[in-house]
Amino acid sequence: MSLDEKTIQQYDVDCLLHSWSVQGKTPRPVIARAEGIYLYDTGGKRYYDMSSQAMNVNIGHGNQKVIQAVKDQMDNFASIGVGWATSVRSELAKKLLDISSDNMGKVFFTLGGAEANENALKIARMYTGRAKVFSRYRAYHGGTSGAGHLTGEPRRFPNEIAGSAGFIKFFDPYVYRDNLGFDSDAEASAYYLKALRQQIIFENPGNVAAVFVETVTGSNGIIIPPDGYLQGLRTLCDEFGILLVCDEVMAGFGRTGQYFAYQNWGIKPDLVTFAKGVTCGYLPVGGVIVDKKIADYFDDHVFSCGLTYTGYAAGCAAGVATLAVYEEENLIQAAVARGRLLGEILEDLKARHKSVGDVRYIGLFSALELVRDKQTREPLVPYGSDPDRLMPKINGALRAKGFCCATHNNNIIVAPPLIITEEELRAAMAILDEVLFTADQWV
Ligand SMILES: Cc1ncc(COP(=O)(O)O)c(C=O)c1O
């Protein structure tokens, strides 16, 4: 049965619960198809997918190689239990280790990012025998219980109704917003790490299992750590025998111009969580990559993690094919090259628009931070609230002109598929330029 547009919208409002929002009755546009960097609604309107959906469709929509690989696997078998070895599961695990830092030993597969963090949390506690975990305020690690507690922004609050013992939050190295006048990255890194070290000591380091960080903070505004911060964090964790967990669910798979964002700073995390870009939404797959010493530990200790669909065969087939696409189409290098152009365009927007206080970018992972006053850096909307619904208005204006993207707090996130061409990037960003004049009027 294929439904008509009105019925689809009606069922969408009447029958579905939608994430992270008061439900409302506004009908959503209906997507008819997606191809490359474009989405098309049922009215034939075309949209640039400028945040790759949820920053996951890195290779773009409709990639026939991945689709065929999934079909081929489905023809064989879609899923197989954990009592069997399978070609695609073994191959994907091996490929993920090949693109990781050389300390990495094994992979545990999940179906998404929250589950990846959920299991990383458990692995860290099993390995260290310690209970507490540190994570940052401006972080999102997933919507399930443990991942929800790791999350620092307001989406964690519903979890805390049942308490949140052992989940300690610390501040992000948010240099622009903190506005402390650092002269260098080294000075900024030292400042944030000194505060964290103190906090760890006050929490009893002997009971801290792990520090979780989004290597580059994603949905909360593309907060890029100053150089030296992650290297110093690695040293700090080592000092106290604490595991360093890099959440690469959003920042991984070429987004920042490296397979994993941590590779931009040459660090070796103990655990890496991933999802999104490993299969780019063709099927859901996530997981945890663990350091060799942790993998070895489970040679003679029970690995108490499990899922019916761990290493789901059709998903792994999508993963193997997706990784081949990154390689064959040189998408990691493309992210660096297009990212350079994106950076130039963003700097130009910042120079010309009163409402753009800061632009942050690494590879094709970027944000424009909107402000009321460039001098004071007062955000366009207060943290965690938007009484005049200014950000949805901006988002609506962008969408009306065919530019789809994510916004969060006072940030517009621009993270297009890595296959975007120079011409497409310029054309899409011209739409953003136009709409920013509206935001300028509110300043
Ligand atoms: C950094 C990060 N970690 C974890 C998650 C959760 O992933 P999922 O939605 O697949 O559960 C997300 C989702 O956006 C994310 O951005």
Side-chain angles (χ1 to χ4, degrees):
M1 182 180 71
S2 180
L3 303 175
D4 63 76
E5 188 180 69
K6 281 266 165 310
T7 314
I8 295 170
Q9 289 178 319
Q10 197 61 54
Y11 287 2
D12 181 73
V13 167
D14 291 346
C15 310
L16 285 163
L17 283 168
H18 294 279
S19 310
W20 309 119
S21 59
V22 174
Q23 297 300 294
K25 297 278 181 207
T26 313
R28 291 169 159 74
V30 180
I31 284 300
R33 71 187 177 91
E35 198 179 331
I37 65 157
Y38 300 108
L39 309 173
Y40 298 86
D41 68 20
T42 37
K45 185 176 163 67
R46 192 183 81 168
Y47 304 83
Y48 289 96
D49 188 2
M50 290 305 281
S51 60
S52 311
Q53 291 304 286
M55 285 66 96
N56 61 324
V57 189
N58 297 2
I59 63 165
H61 301 274
N63 187 294
Q64 289 306 315
K65 285 187 180 163
V66 181
I67 293 167
Q68 192 56 51
V70 172
K71 282 183 183 167
D72 291 346
Q73 183 58 47
M74 290 271 187
D75 281 342
N76 256 358
F77 53 88
S79 85
I80 199 80
V82 292
W84 306 89
T86 66
S87 172
V88 281
R89 192 187 288 157
S90 295
E91 192 179 350
L92 184 57
K94 177 70 170 73
K95 287 215 150 105
L96 287 167
L97 293 172
D98 287 348
I99 58 171
S100 294
S101 50
D102 61 9
N103 60 313
M104 289 305 182
K106 283 187 180 172
V107 181
F108 177 67
F109 286 116
T110 67
L111 290 173
E115 270 184 357
N117 285 317
E118 210 68 53
N119 283 284
L121 178 63
K122 203 157 132 188
I123 293 168
R125 284 174 169 163
M126 285 192 288
Y127 177 74
T128 61
R130 302 175 181 184
K132 290 185 179 179
V133 284
F134 274 61
S135 57
R136 296 189 300 211
Y137 281 108
R138 291 183 192 264
Y140 180 71
H141 293 292
T144 53
S145 178
H149 280 302
L150 290 169
T151 291
E153 43 115 312
R155 281 182 278 182
R156 83 171 192 272
F157 296 156
N159 280 47
E160 295 185 339
I161 295 168
S164 61
F167 290 92
I168 319 294
K169 296 293 175 297
F170 64 106
F171 281 104
D172 316 71
Y174 199 171
V175 174
Y176 170 75
R177 183 122 306 284
D178 292 342
N179 197 10
L180 295 170
F182 299 120
D183 286 328
S184 65
D185 275 19
E187 198 186 319
S189 297
Y191 170 84
Y192 291 106
L193 290 168
K194 184 177 172 197
L196 175 59
R197 187 171 185 281
Q198 188 113 348
Q199 209 184 338
I200 288 173
I201 289 169
F202 275 65
E203 288 291 343
N204 178 13
N207 197 19
V208 178
V211 173
F212 277 71
V213 291
E214 283 185 66
T215 320
V216 172
T217 298
S219 50
N220 279 263
I222 319 299
I223 304 168
I224 302 163
D227 189 26
Y229 177 87
L230 287 167
Q231 298 91 322
L233 184 57
R234 177 68 275 179
T235 307
L236 180 56
C237 287
D238 287 343
E239 181 185 350
F240 296 112
I242 295 169
L243 300 182
L244 175 57
V245 187
C246 284
D247 179 338
E248 296 264 348
V249 169
M250 192 177 277
F253 299 98
R255 191 44 64 202
T256 68
Q258 293 280 349
Y259 269 109
F260 294 105
Y262 69 79
Q263 291 162 335
N264 287 293
W265 292 277
I267 61 155
K268 295 182 181 183
D270 297 299
L271 297 163
V272 170
T273 58
F274 66 93
K276 297 192 189 264
V278 67
T279 49
C280 294
Y282 285 81
L283 280 176
V285 170
V288 191
I289 306 172
V290 311
D291 181 278
K292 285 175 187 157
K293 64 179 181 287
I294 301 171
D296 290 349
Y297 173 83
F298 291 106
D299 283 347
D300 49 13
H301 294 83
V302 175
F303 182 70
S304 275
C305 299
L307 296 160
T308 298
Y309 296 122
T310 177
Y312 177 60
C316 288
V320 170
T322 302
L323 290 187
V325 170
Y326 285 111
E327 208 174 298
E328 286 161 14
E329 297 187 17
N330 293 319
L331 293 184
I332 312 300
Q333 294 87 328
V336 175
R338 291 300 98 68
R340 217 171 284 129
L341 173 62
L342 176 62
E344 285 166 21
I345 296 171
L346 289 170
E347 291 294 350
D348 174 57
L349 293 178
K350 179 173 142 185
R352 289 189 297 103
H353 288 281
K354 289 191 289 185
S355 58
V356 180
D358 193 27
V359 290
R360 296 182 285 276
Y361 47 87
I362 178 167
L364 282 171
F365 205 26
S366 75
L368 298 91
E369 178 157 351
L370 304 186
V371 291
R372 285 190 184 278
D373 182 329
K374 278 201 193 207
Q375 214 56 41
T376 65
R377 305 188 181 187
E378 182 193 348
L380 182 69
V381 299
Y383 180 74
S385 78
D386 185 356
D388 300 322
R389 298 192 54 74
L390 296 182
M391 294 306 289
K393 279 181 197 159
I394 292 172
N395 216 335
L398 286 168
R399 211 180 246 211
K401 290 180 186 292
F403 184 107
C404 257
C405 70
T407 58
H408 192 87
N409 290 326
N410 59 325
N411 290 290
I412 297 174
I413 313 285
V414 177
L418 312 184
I419 57 167
I420 195 166
T421 65
E422 223 179 282
E423 202 181 21
E424 288 168 332
L425 186 57
R426 286 186 198 281
M429 294 303 279
I431 299 176
L432 179 56
D433 187 12
E434 240 180 272
V435 170
L436 283 171
F437 285 109
T438 310
D440 290 345
Q441 287 165 22
W442 297 328
V443 168

